[in-house]
């Protein structure tokens, strides 16, 4: 709905607040009551002369009546509605809500932002506890030391007639392992304290860059409006190191180039026309397919724009870019699920792959992947490839049997997967009183 279409709703609200009857107001500005009624119900456009007369009688600035609802508020309300699919909402009346009750609209969007931020924080903490290489190493040291102490203590208890010399050795081992446990625990606590004291909690420059992207929904309004990447890096608290700011300039430069090649309003309209087909968009705008992937992932989710995720990796499988869609968490560290089309694309560089996939919670996506050269092709060296995968959420009525995938092996509970490279850390249940993890006693 165009912004001007809400002018009538605002006129009606201001008339009622001032206690005017429709017929009285119409008479004062020289139009019929029936015509004013059509204007107030957004069924007739309002000319500049009539608008000025109305604003003068109502005692308000003309821009207050003519200015449309903020796009950001409308978009956030649409996103909130799309997130909670269990509650039916009147999507066709969102614009009217923003126009008539701006305070309530702002309150709802603020709560939605807060909820989304909390969900991202919880997801990030869960991801970090699972994949942080430093934390994993410290945890392994602690568990190994505890196991050693327990084993030594069990021998002492089970063997009361142990010789004095052997007892001394075991006591010495317990003392040594206890010191090691104290050092490992202190080191792990220091690492956690270091993360908690940082604004972003980012362990690497790349993680800091995408923490900044995540905080903004991967939609950088400043760059959409032609802003300067260097100025933007200075405004982001997540970029708390020179290395992070330098890396951010690279990614912001790519984002700005995509904006210039595919302006937002034109691209969004075209995306709706081709039903978010990146191949059609790449042809229409004359850009590489991977650029169309990135631009689609930068669109703000709404009632008319599906949930879109993006992930890329280098030839080693290490993740470079990650925008997690709802229903499929993408790991911060290491590689993702070996079954992702992202990795299959590396086996056939330059050949686009499309596959329907299903996450563990039943969310289905159309996954489109492509491996492309990371830089210019040269005769004197072999090309270096990167792979990129776009994830577009769809309903379960899509044709064909989807491929079941996970996030990564460590947090995937699927049984009988031939691609599994390590046991899951998720609790599987109790077996004879022993808590198991990935089928192994813990």
């Amino acid at each position: 709905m165009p912004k001007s279409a809400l002018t009538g709703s605002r006129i009606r609200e201001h008339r009622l607040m001032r206690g005017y009857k429709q017929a009285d107001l119409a008479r004062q500005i020289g139009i019929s009551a029936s015509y004013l009624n059509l204007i107030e119900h957004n069924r007739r456009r309002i000319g500049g002369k009539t608008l000025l007369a109305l604003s003068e009688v109502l005692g308000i600035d003309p821009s207050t009546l003519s200015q449309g609802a903020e796009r950001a508020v409308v978009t956030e309300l649409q996103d909130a509605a799309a997130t909670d699919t269990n509650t039916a909402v009147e999507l066709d009346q969102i614009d009217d809500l923003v126009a008539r009750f701006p305070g309530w609209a702002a309150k709802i969007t603020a709560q939605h932002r807060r909820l989304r931020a909390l969900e991202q924080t919880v997801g990030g903490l869960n991801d970090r506890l699972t994949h942080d290489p430093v934390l994993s190493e410290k945890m392994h040291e602690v568990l190994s030391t505890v196991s050693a102490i327990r084993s030594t203590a069990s021998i002492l208890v089970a063997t009361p007639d142990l010789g004095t010399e052997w007892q001394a050795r075991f006591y010495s081992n317990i003392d040594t392992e206890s010191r090691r446990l104290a050092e490992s625990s202190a080191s792990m606590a220091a690492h956690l304290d270091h993360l908690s004291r940082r604004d972003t909690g980012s362990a690497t420059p790349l993680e800091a860059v995408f923490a900044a992207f995540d905080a903004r929904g991967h939609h950088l309004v400043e760059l959409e409006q032609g802003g300067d990447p260097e100025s933007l890096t200075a405004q982001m608290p997540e970029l708390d190191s020179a290395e992070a700011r330098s890396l951010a300039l690279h990614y912001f430069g790519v984002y700005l180039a995509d904006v210039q090649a595919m302006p937002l309003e034109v691209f969004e309209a075209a995306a709706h026309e081709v039903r978010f087909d990146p191949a059609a968009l790449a042809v229409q705008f004359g850009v590489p397919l991977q650029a169309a992937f990135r631009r689609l992932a930068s669109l703000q989710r709404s009632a008319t724009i599906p949930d879109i995720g993006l992930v890329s990796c280098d030839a080693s499988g290490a993740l470079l870019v990650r925008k997690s869609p709802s229903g499929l968490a993408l790991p911060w560290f290491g590689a993702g699920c070996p079954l992702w089309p992202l990795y299959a694309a590396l086996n056939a560089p330059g050949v686009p792959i499309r596959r329907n996939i299903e996450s563990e919670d039943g969310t289905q996506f159309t996954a489109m992947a492509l491996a492309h050269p990371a830089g210019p092709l040269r005769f004197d060296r072999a090309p270096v490839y990167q792979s990129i995968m776009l994830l577009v959420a769809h309903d379960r009525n899509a044709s064909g049997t989807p491929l079941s995938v996970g996030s990564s092996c460590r947090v995937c509970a699927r049984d009988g997967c031939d691609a599994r490279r390590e046991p899951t850390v998720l609790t599987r249940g109790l077996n004879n009183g022993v808590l198991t993890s990935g089928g192994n006693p813990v």
Side-chain angles (χ1 to χ4, degrees):
M1 180 181 291
K3 292 181 178 181
S4 59
L6 296 175
T7 302
S9 299
R10 282 184 283 275
I11 291 172
R12 182 174 68 252
E13 290 304 311
H14 286 286
R15 175 179 64 79
L16 293 174
M17 284 190 296
R18 285 159 179 76
Y20 280 104
K21 292 183 178 180
Q22 201 172 64
D24 294 338
L25 181 59
R27 184 171 56 254
Q28 290 192 53
I29 63 174
I31 63 174
S32 67
S34 60
Y35 186 67
L36 179 58
N37 182 64
L38 292 174
I39 290 176
E40 288 189 351
H41 286 83
N42 301 306
R43 296 178 183 175
R44 289 291 186 275
R45 292 186 177 275
I46 182 170
K49 183 178 179 180
T50 304
L51 180 64
L52 290 174
L54 281 166
S55 63
E56 183 177 350
V57 173
L58 295 173
I60 56 177
D61 190 89
S63 62
T64 303
L65 296 177
S66 61
Q67 184 178 7
E70 290 292 336
R71 172 62 183 252
V73 177
V74 174
T75 300
E76 285 202 69
L77 286 172
Q78 291 172 332
D79 182 50
T83 301
D84 183 8
T85 57
N86 295 323
T87 304
V89 295
E90 298 78 8
L91 292 174
D92 58 335
Q93 297 183 32
I94 288 181
D95 288 327
D96 197 35
L97 169 66
V98 176
R100 297 180 60 186
F101 306 105
W104 278 110
K107 182 75 172 177
I108 294 171
T109 54
Q111 290 180 337
H112 176 59
R113 285 195 298 269
R114 176 67 174 165
L115 179 61
R116 186 168 55 189
L118 289 173
E119 288 176 343
Q120 290 175 346
T121 300
V122 172
L125 290 173
N126 179 66
D127 210 19
R128 180 177 298 286
L129 289 172
T130 303
H131 298 288
D132 186 332
V134 177
L135 190 58
S136 295
E137 179 183 355
K138 301 302 179 185
M139 182 62 74
H140 177 72
E141 290 179 3
V142 169
L143 294 177
S144 298
T145 307
V146 169
S147 297
I149 294 173
R150 180 182 177 183
S151 176
T152 304
S154 297
I155 294 175
L156 287 171
V157 171
T159 316
D161 56 348
L162 197 63
T164 303
E165 182 179 350
W166 280 104
Q167 285 185 2
R169 289 185 182 182
F170 281 122
Y171 287 138
S172 176
N173 288 343
I174 290 177
D175 179 66
T176 300
E177 294 297 338
S178 297
R179 293 176 184 275
R180 180 184 170 195
L181 176 61
E183 292 174 358
S184 299
S185 300
S187 178
M188 183 168 65
H191 177 66
L192 292 172
D193 182 63
H194 168 69
L195 294 178
S196 67
R197 291 177 183 273
R198 299 179 66 170
D199 290 336
T200 63
S202 302
T204 68
L206 183 62
E207 184 182 346
V209 171
F210 282 95
F213 270 99
D214 285 341
R216 293 155 184 81
H218 289 249
H219 182 80
L220 304 181
V221 177
E222 298 87 347
L223 298 184
E224 296 288 350
Q225 298 174 351
D228 177 50
E230 290 193 10
S231 299
L232 182 57
T233 58
Q235 302 170 14
M236 293 184 166
E238 297 88 353
L239 307 177
D240 55 358
S241 68
E243 294 82 1
R245 289 188 289 273
S246 176
L247 192 59
L249 283 176
H250 165 72
Y251 283 101
F252 293 168
V254 173
Y255 189 105
L256 185 58
D258 291 340
V259 169
Q260 294 169 345
M262 296 165 278
L264 180 59
E265 291 187 5
V266 178
F267 182 82
E268 189 172 323
H272 280 96
E273 289 180 4
V274 299
R275 303 180 69 176
F276 303 93
D277 182 353
L281 291 168
V283 172
Q284 181 173 340
F285 287 91
V287 297
L289 185 57
Q290 62 267 27
F293 281 10
R294 295 192 300 263
R295 196 65 177 123
L296 281 169
S298 72
L299 296 179
Q300 289 182 303
R301 185 184 178 189
S302 69
T304 59
I305 297 178
D307 195 0
I308 299 177
L310 185 73
V311 59
S312 72
C313 70
D314 60 18
S316 72
L319 301 187
L320 303 175
V321 175
R322 59 182 298 281
K323 179 193 177 187
S324 294
S326 299
L328 181 62
L330 304 179
W332 272 106
F333 303 97
C337 173
L339 298 176
W340 286 354
L342 174 75
Y343 300 120
L346 287 169
N347 295 325
V351 179
I353 297 175
R354 187 198 306 265
R355 182 72 190 269
N356 290 341
I357 64 173
E358 183 178 62
S359 65
E360 288 184 273
D361 69 355
T363 305
Q364 293 192 4
F365 302 90
T366 299
M368 291 160 279
L370 173 73
H372 59 91
L377 296 176
R378 300 179 181 178
F379 288 105
D380 59 342
R381 66 185 63 176
V384 176
Y385 288 98
Q386 292 180 357
S387 184
I388 187 169
M389 179 172 69
L390 188 74
L391 298 163
V392 181
H394 63 240
D395 58 40
R396 299 192 180 192
N397 296 323
S399 60
T401 302
L403 172 68
S404 297
V405 303
S407 172
S408 67
C409 289
R410 298 202 70 193
V411 292
C412 178
R414 293 188 187 278
D415 294 320
C417 178
D418 294 335
R420 179 174 293 282
R421 60 178 175 272
E422 59 180 328
T424 180
V425 298
L426 299 180
T427 299
R428 308 294 298 183
L430 290 171
N431 183 14
N432 296 327
V434 178
L435 187 65
T436 60
S437 175
N440 298 317
V442 297

